[in-house]
Amino acid sequence: MDREQVAALLAGAEGHVSGEEMSRKLGVTRAAVWKEIDALRRAGWPIESSTRKGYRLSGPPPALSGPYISAQLGRGSLFAGKVLVEPLVDSTNTRLKAMAAAGAPTGTALLAEEQSAGRGTHGRSFQSPKGDGLYLSVLLRPGPTRLQDLLTLTGWVGVAAREAAERASGAPVEIKWLNDLYLNGKKLCGILTEVSFLGESGEPDYVVAGMGINMNQTAGTFREQGLEDIATSLALEGYPVERNHLAVCLLRALEEMNGAFPAGREDYLERYRAHCLTVGRRVSFETGEGVRSGTAQGIDDYFALRVTEDGGGAHTVSSGTVKLL
C-alpha cells in the first residue's frame, strides 16, 4: 500500500468511506490506513472523520494529485488512472514523448508542479515557476489519419483548452492564431502539439499535446520577467481557479476533442472562428521572402490564416510566427 492508494479511495468515494472498508480493499490493517490518512492530513489534505461513518474529503487537495484528478474524471474516462504528477520535470512534452516512445498508452497525462526547461513553439522557452501555472501534456494515439487532418490538431487543442479555461474560471478567453490563448489582450496560455510517425510505414504513432496556463502570477511576477505588457494570469484578471479543477476541465475537454477527431472538424472550426481574436486585425507574418504585414481576413477549412497583404496580395499562412500589430 502507498499513500496514493489511500488518496484514490478517498477521492473516489461519494461520501464517507470507513477505515474498515479501506483496510479490506487495500489488504492492510486499519492502523496502517490511519497512518497514511494522518500523513495526508499533515500534508494539507482536508480529510474529515466521523466515528460511525469513517473518512471523507471536504475539498480538493493542497497540490496537484493524480488520484484526485482521476477520481473526478470517473472510471470511464480515457485519462482515468493514467494521470501522473511530478514535482519537477524539464518539460512535460519532452518527458511524455520519451514515455510514448517506450510504449505508454493513449490517454496518459503528465502534469508538473514546475518545469525547468518548458518549451513553446519555434524553440522558445516557457516560464514555468512552481505553483504559478498548470503545466500539462497528454498522449494520444489517433491511428491511421490523413496528414492534412493531423496538421490541424493544434487548432483543435486550442478550442479544447479555451473552453476548459472558460468553464473552470468563467474567464472570457480568446484564441490568438494559431496556438496561444489570450485574456484581456494578453497571453494566458501557450500550446505545443508534436506528432511522431512510424519510420517504416509513415503512419502516425502518437501525438503529444502540451500547454502551460498562467494561473497565479501577480503583476510583480511578470514585471520581474519583463512580461508585464505581454502576459497575464487568471488570478491577475480576477478569475482565480483551483488547479486540480482546471486540470479536470482540461482533460474532459481533450477527451471530447479526441472522440470528435477528425470527423468533427467543421464543429471545431466554427468554435475556433467564433473566438479567434486575430481575424480582422493587422498582423505581421512570415513568408519565404521575409516578414510581411497585412490584415487577417479569416480562418480557412484547415485552420490556416488567410491574410491580405498591404498592397493587395493574398496569403494563406499555415505555420510560422504571426504577430498582432
Side-chain angles (χ1 to χ4, degrees), residues 38-54:
D38 183 58
L40 287 169
R41 278 175 167 159
R42 284 187 281 109
W45 283 62
I47 302 173
E48 295 180 351
S49 60
S50 169
T51 302
R52 294 185 178 181
K53 296 179 180 179

Side-chain angles (χ1 to χ4, degrees), residues 2-254:
D2 63 27
R3 197 158 300 160
E4 289 213 338
Q5 290 176 297
V6 174
L9 286 177
L10 288 168
E14 294 185 0
H16 287 79
V17 56
S18 70
E20 181 180 356
E21 181 181 351
M22 284 194 282
S23 67
R24 185 175 64 251
K25 287 183 176 180
L26 297 174
V28 298
T29 66
R30 291 181 64 178
V33 169
W34 182 88
K35 181 179 178 182
E36 296 303 332
I37 286 177
D38 183 58
L40 287 169
R41 278 175 167 159
R42 284 187 281 109
W45 283 62
I47 302 173
E48 295 180 351
S49 60
S50 169
T51 302
R52 294 185 178 181
K53 296 179 180 179
Y55 307 96
R56 79 174 184 93
L57 281 179
S58 60
L64 290 170
S65 166
Y68 180 83
I69 293 169
S70 286
Q72 299 304 302
L73 291 170
R75 292 182 180 178
S77 169
L78 172 68
F79 299 105
K82 293 178 280 188
V83 181
L84 310 173
V85 176
E86 294 286 350
L88 173 66
V89 299
D90 51 355
S91 155
T92 56
N93 261 39
T94 299
R95 181 71 63 88
L96 194 52
K97 284 169 65 179
M99 293 168 62
T106 187
T108 301
L110 177 63
L111 294 79
E113 291 283 354
E114 183 180 4
Q115 296 182 119
S116 60
R119 295 189 295 117
T121 54
H122 311 298
R124 298 187 182 97
S125 62
F126 184 87
Q127 298 285 343
S128 312
K130 183 177 180 179
D132 277 351
L134 183 66
Y135 318 119
L136 175 153
S137 295
V138 298
L139 168 63
L140 303 172
R141 296 187 183 273
T145 308
R146 294 189 310 163
L147 178 60
Q148 192 174 24
D149 288 320
L150 279 174
L151 295 177
T152 69
L153 258 175
T154 295
W156 290 67
V157 175
V159 171
R162 191 211 73 78
E163 293 178 353
E166 186 173 81
R167 289 170 190 162
S169 68
V173 180
E174 298 178 286
I175 302 170
K176 173 189 167 292
W177 192 93
L178 169 65
N179 58 348
D180 289 334
L181 300 186
Y182 268 49
L183 178 57
N184 294 338
K186 295 182 179 181
K187 184 174 178 177
L188 179 73
C189 169
I191 296 169
L192 178 62
T193 304
E194 299 180 281
V195 183
S196 178
F197 296 90
L198 294 169
E200 295 182 358
S201 65
E203 293 290 338
D205 185 12
Y206 62 82
V207 174
V208 169
M211 63 204 70
I213 301 181
N214 296 332
M215 296 186 66
N216 299 316
Q217 291 94 333
T218 65
T221 304
F222 290 124
R223 231 178 353 257
E224 291 172 3
Q225 299 170 351
L227 301 173
E228 65 269 26
D229 296 326
I230 300 171
T232 193
S233 70
L234 289 170
L236 185 57
E237 298 296 334
Y239 300 96
V241 62
E242 196 273 323
R243 286 190 301 154
N244 286 283
H245 177 57
L246 179 57
V248 169
C249 290
L250 273 169
L251 291 175
R252 283 176 176 160
L254 289 166

